[in-house]
Amino acid sequence: MALPHIIALIGYMATGKSTVGQAMAKACGYDFIDTDEAIVQAAGKSIPAIFEEDGEAVFRAAETETLRQILTAQPRNQGLILACGGGLPLNAENRTLLADHCFTVQLIADSETIAQRVEAQGERPLLAAAKDHADLVARIDQMKARRKRDYKAATDMNAETDILPIEDVVDSILFFAEMVQNRRKRLAD
Ligand SMILES: Nc1ncnc2c1ncn2[C@@H]1O[C@H](COP(=O)(O)OP(=O)(O)O)[C@@H](O)[C@H]1O
Ligand SMILES: O=C(O)C1=C[C@@H](OP(=O)(O)O)[C@@H](O)[C@H](O)C1
Ligand SMILES: [Mg+2]
């Protein structure tokens, strides 16, 4: 399968970047890295603990360094699926790194779907203050609206994760990414 060398998944929290990314890597034989996982490994503590003990600014600085390191270390002869933390594309330097190295897919889901996933999973410090379900949905709506422009600026393709099961989301992304790669090759020849 002719695919871009690095496929990055971006998008709002709980749209499925980590889950879909892992399944994509398995389906196409690419490596898989999750920026959040890499940061947790290096810090030796969870994302909520980093936010609480070190603050968001420290987490964001680690995010940029981790992204740069991952993108430059990836061997030429091995593809990579990179699941990004939800806030990563809000930083202009990170968007430039994505544009320079990746085919970037934005995962999208309804705020209601996201709220249900966040309630089931936890682990999202930026949404931890929500009072109840309705407040959580409202906070997700507001944060999504604030982030929309930066996400769009970094995006080569959108994929919805509300309707299709994970395997079909994977197949649709790989199908589209392969078309793009073939087209790029034709244009380069
Ligand atoms: N079609 C789907 N695509 C992606 N995730 C889904 C889908 N259906 C259910 N989920 C669930 O939604 C959650 C998404 O969480 P996660 O992958 O951690 O998202 P993110 O990394 O974007 O925050 C997982 O528990 C996953 O199993
Ligand atoms: O959107 C964000 O700002 C964040 C998203 C999280 O990753 P997921 O999008 O994988 O949940 C994680 O990086 C951190 O909690 C901050
Ligand atoms: Mg994730």
Side-chain angles (χ1 to χ4, degrees):
M1 210 186 316
L3 287 169
H5 177 231
I6 303 179
I7 302 179
L9 300 181
I10 63 165
Y12 193 77
M13 287 176 264
T15 49
K17 302 175 296 292
S18 302
T19 311
V20 169
Q22 245 165 333
M24 273 175 74
K26 210 170 168 190
C28 67
Y30 272 24
D31 290 343
F32 173 73
I33 300 178
D34 190 314
T35 59
D36 282 340
E37 265 310 305
I39 293 167
V40 166
Q41 289 293 324
K45 52 186 162 185
S46 69
I47 303 267
I50 298 171
F51 270 71
E52 197 177 316
E53 294 165 23
D54 309 320
E56 182 172 354
V58 168
F59 175 77
R60 295 302 174 195
E63 210 166 35
T64 298
E65 261 335 287
T66 303
L67 178 66
R68 184 192 311 285
Q69 200 275 331
I70 292 168
L71 294 179
T72 49
Q74 186 61 26
R76 281 262 142 251
N77 61 353
Q78 175 60 39
L80 172 70
I81 306 293
L82 179 65
C84 298
L88 183 146
L90 308 181
N91 172 298
E93 197 179 341
N94 295 349
R95 290 198 298 276
T96 301
L97 283 165
L98 290 174
D100 287 348
H101 294 271
C102 309
F103 175 75
T104 300
V105 183
Q106 180 184 192
L107 300 190
I108 293 172
D110 281 345
S111 297
E112 179 59 42
T113 307
I114 288 170
Q116 286 173 19
R117 291 177 182 170
V118 167
E119 282 161 347
Q121 277 185 323
E123 288 278 315
R124 303 313 195 290
L126 293 178
L127 294 170
K131 289 191 296 286
D132 53 29
H133 182 79
D135 183 34
L136 179 59
V137 174
R139 282 168 188 259
I140 293 167
D141 270 338
Q142 284 163 15
M143 212 189 292
K144 267 171 138 182
R146 282 201 301 273
R147 292 180 169 195
K148 193 173 176 174
R149 211 163 50 132
D150 287 339
Y151 284 157
K152 188 155 190 259
T155 296
D156 295 311
M157 168 195 177
N158 289 310
E160 291 193 7
T161 69
D162 298 280
I163 300 155
L164 295 175
I166 292 164
E167 316 80 65
D168 292 356
V169 174
V170 168
D171 286 351
S172 64
I173 294 171
L174 292 177
F175 180 79
F176 191 90
E178 191 176 14
M179 275 201 327
V180 169
Q181 186 64 7
N182 286 335
R183 187 176 159 74
R184 281 179 180 168
K185 266 199 182 149
R186 277 202 306 278
L187 290 173
D189 288 343

